[in-house]
Amino acid sequence: ITIDEEGSIESINPAAERIFGFGQSEIVGCNINVLMPEPYHSRHDHFMNDYLSTGRKKIIGIGREVEGRRRDGTTFPMHLAVSELSVGGRRMFAGIVRVITGYREAEEAVRESERKLSTLISNLPGVAYRIRNDELWTLDFVSEGCLPIVGYSSSELLAGTPTIELVHPEDRQQIREETEAGLSQRRQIEIVYRLRLRSGEYRWVWDRIRGVYSDDGEVLGIEGFLTDITEQRKEREKYVQAERLAAIGQMLSTVAHESRNALQRIQAAADMLSLELTEESDARKDLAKIERATRDLYRLLEEIRCYSAPIHLETKDCGLDHVWRQAWSSLETVHRGRDARLDENIRETNLT
């Protein structure tokens, strides 16, 4: 669209006609503000006069996202780039409009999916993190679940001690070797090791690690999810832990399912948008970022799904009298020589 110093439209190409719903014959000569909703409609002439008198640029040569107004009064988001030019000694302005409705919807879907994922991660009984593939395993992200496990907040860990120094010295070499082997084979790694708390105490953690790769196969980072298994190692309470993980798994499966639906909507919006963009369009780069973010979210959801898979326990009938007799026999060294005995008053009760 081209306009003169007064803001009057001098020309409009067919694409702009389709976007705004006006034909060239009915729009040429009108003030450009007819294509703007409030408050831009009322303020445009003031902005134009201010630029002509002061030379201060607010949009010329910069470009930004604004709202456009169609002939039927509906509005839509668009990107506007304005340049100044001289034609036959006349001062003119040319504007290039790009509709970004699909892009906005895709952005909003990404934000909503990220919000859901952030809520999910913050409520997980563990720590989700991303580190660089360097010597110190520098942290790029860590969830707030780190506070109850290691005694540090996420902000403290991101700004403080290198990650590798929190690992027990005896475990570092094993972790490096297993991680490097897993990264080279592009497979998930599961490692159990000791992690140092703020108090100096070491706790056992179970870590599930996977690499993040570029299209060329370069390792861009390492993502993982770790949980504290100290009590499990001490007490061997596998049955209690299994029930807890099963409950968490049911919750995670539900949330992961909803998140996948949101990601599918993102992908659909991105696919539709790609049909509207030319190969030379600058928006292609933005669209590629959306698609990469979608793939990253899919990968993280898959990690969560794998972690939350339920553990099935086998149940069978047994006699309670056999259980307590076995327990009494196990305590023989304790009660031998003491005034202690096992009294059974079960009569004809069915103890199975």
Side-chain angles (χ1 to χ4, degrees):
I1 304 172
T2 60
I3 64 173
D4 61 17
E5 288 182 302
E6 303 298 324
S8 297
I9 298 174
E10 296 215 349
S11 68
I12 179 172
N13 71 355
E17 289 182 278
R18 290 192 296 272
I19 290 173
F20 292 98
F22 288 98
Q24 181 155 194
S25 60
E26 56 186 335
I27 196 67
V28 169
C30 296
N31 191 295
I32 189 66
N33 64 11
V34 300
L35 303 181
M36 305 174 184
E38 293 293 352
Y40 312 107
H41 179 86
S42 301
R43 298 178 181 175
H44 181 264
D45 289 345
H46 170 73
F47 294 152
M48 177 72 80
N49 293 331
D50 180 70
Y51 170 68
L52 294 175
S53 60
T54 66
R56 289 194 300 265
K57 297 180 179 180
K58 295 185 178 179
I59 189 173
I60 296 175
I62 303 172
R64 65 180 179 183
E65 292 185 10
V66 295
E67 292 288 320
R69 180 180 181 274
R70 299 185 182 93
R71 181 176 182 174
D72 61 8
T74 59
T75 61
F76 61 95
M78 67 182 193
H79 182 272
L80 174 63
V82 180
S83 58
E84 184 177 352
L85 59 153
S86 178
V87 180
R90 297 178 60 214
R91 199 177 193 181
M92 304 282 291
F93 299 92
I96 299 177
V97 171
R98 175 164 55 88
V99 180
I100 58 174
T101 304
Y103 176 67
R104 280 272 188 90
E105 291 175 351
E107 272 192 331
E108 181 58 34
V110 169
R111 282 193 293 269
E112 176 62 14
S113 185
E114 287 177 343
R115 183 194 64 78
K116 289 182 178 179
L117 199 57
S118 176
T119 300
L120 171 63
I121 290 175
S122 65
N123 286 284
L124 287 175
V127 183
Y129 65 87
R130 178 167 178 159
I131 59 177
R132 301 174 195 170
N133 188 31
D134 57 20
E135 280 297 315
L136 298 178
W137 285 350
T138 306
L139 271 172
D140 282 332
F141 165 79
V142 61
S143 67
E144 288 299 336
C146 61
L147 183 60
I149 290 184
V150 296
Y152 295 98
S153 67
S154 60
S155 58
E156 288 177 310
L157 287 176
L158 289 170
T161 305
T163 308
I164 192 63
E165 293 186 14
L166 295 177
V167 177
H168 195 287
E170 295 178 3
D171 299 336
R172 293 175 189 174
Q173 187 61 31
Q174 176 193 359
I175 295 175
R176 284 196 182 279
E177 291 176 355
E178 293 190 24
T179 300
E180 289 174 3
L183 292 175
S184 64
Q185 300 170 20
R186 291 200 175 199
R187 61 174 174 81
Q188 180 173 283
I189 311 111
E190 297 186 19
I191 311 175
V192 175
Y193 58 90
R194 288 161 289 183
L195 201 61
R196 177 167 55 82
L197 280 60
R198 179 193 288 271
S199 63
E201 174 192 0
Y202 280 95
R203 304 281 288 181
W204 286 97
V205 295
W206 175 44
D207 204 349
R208 298 167 67 91
I209 302 169
R210 185 180 293 274
V212 180
Y213 306 88
S214 68
D215 295 337
D216 298 329
E218 178 187 0
V219 180
L220 301 177
I222 301 171
E223 293 178 342
F225 184 85
L226 63 84
T227 51
D228 185 342
I229 61 168
T230 304
E231 298 307 315
Q232 289 89 323
R233 288 182 65 91
K234 288 181 178 179
E235 306 297 334
R236 304 296 182 184
E237 293 290 343
K238 295 182 179 179
Y239 296 153
V240 174
Q241 179 67 2
E243 290 180 359
R244 188 178 127 198
L245 289 176
I248 294 172
Q250 185 175 5
M251 180 271 291
L252 292 180
S253 296
T254 301
V255 178
H257 175 73
E258 293 299 324
S259 298
R260 284 197 196 92
N261 289 340
L263 287 175
Q264 289 172 354
R265 291 196 296 273
I266 296 171
Q267 188 61 55
D271 291 343
M272 293 297 295
L273 184 58
S274 68
L275 298 176
E276 301 177 9
L277 300 176
T278 63
E279 290 297 329
E280 298 77 22
S281 172
D282 291 338
R284 280 285 177 183
K285 296 179 181 178
D286 296 331
L287 183 60
K289 292 178 182 178
I290 293 172
E291 291 174 339
R292 284 196 296 272
T294 301
R295 290 195 297 268
D296 288 343
L297 290 173
Y298 265 124
R299 183 173 56 253
L300 187 52
L301 284 173
E302 183 61 20
E303 291 289 329
I304 295 172
R305 187 193 67 78
C306 292
Y307 171 76
S308 63
I311 298 174
H312 300 286
L313 301 180
E314 179 184 356
T315 59
K316 61 181 180 179
D317 293 336
C318 65
L320 290 180
D321 54 341
H322 173 73
V323 175
W324 72 57
R325 287 167 187 161
Q326 189 175 39
W328 177 255
S329 176
S330 299
L331 295 172
E332 181 179 0
T333 57
V334 178
H335 62 69
R336 183 186 300 136
R338 299 189 180 188
D339 185 15
R341 68 178 185 275
L342 173 64
D343 287 332
E344 296 181 332
N345 186 17
I346 58 177
R347 299 177 184 175
E348 297 181 359
T349 303
N350 185 358
L351 300 176
T352 301

